[in-house]
Amino acid sequence: MSNIGIVLGRFHRKEVEEMLDEARTVAARRGLGIVAEVWVPGSMEKPLAIKRLLMRDDVAGAVALGIIERGETEHGNVMGHAVIGSLIDLQLQFMKPVGVGILGPGINPSQIPPRIRPYAAAAVEACADLIEQG
């Protein structure tokens, strides 16, 4: 059995807890163990937490879950691009997959509920697929 770690943003804690529930279900179905669930303040802190997980020998991949909601400025958009770029760089640096289940940037509140479980599931599925290919 391969192990993964999950990093979660607590800014939208209620919604992200639902994402975590879905991620746990999919990981179990795919035969993945979850060795760490790391809560961070928001998306900007996710790359460092993901890097710490990927450095571990017992972690074959990681998943980032959270929400970057539409704001009144471009902050979320800029942050989203920076975070996603960093997560891609970490995959290539460590040659371990990072499944990204971050809703947004720029998502409207009404768009969040129907996407919570599908985004979390897709992130774990992507990670699992690449672990299997490795």
Side-chain angles (χ1 to χ4, degrees), residues 12-33:
H12 294 90
R13 187 155 191 129
K14 178 181 172 281
E15 294 85 354
V16 177
E17 284 178 351
E18 188 176 344
M19 295 178 92
L20 177 58
D21 180 64
E22 184 69 15
R24 288 173 177 155
T25 299
V26 174
R29 182 174 46 77
R30 292 296 301 262
L32 295 172

Side-chain angles (χ1 to χ4, degrees), residues 68-86:
I68 302 174
E69 194 173 338
R70 180 183 302 271
E72 294 180 14
T73 68
E74 287 298 307
H75 171 75
N77 206 19
V78 171
M79 179 178 60
H81 289 289
V83 169
I84 298 300
S86 294

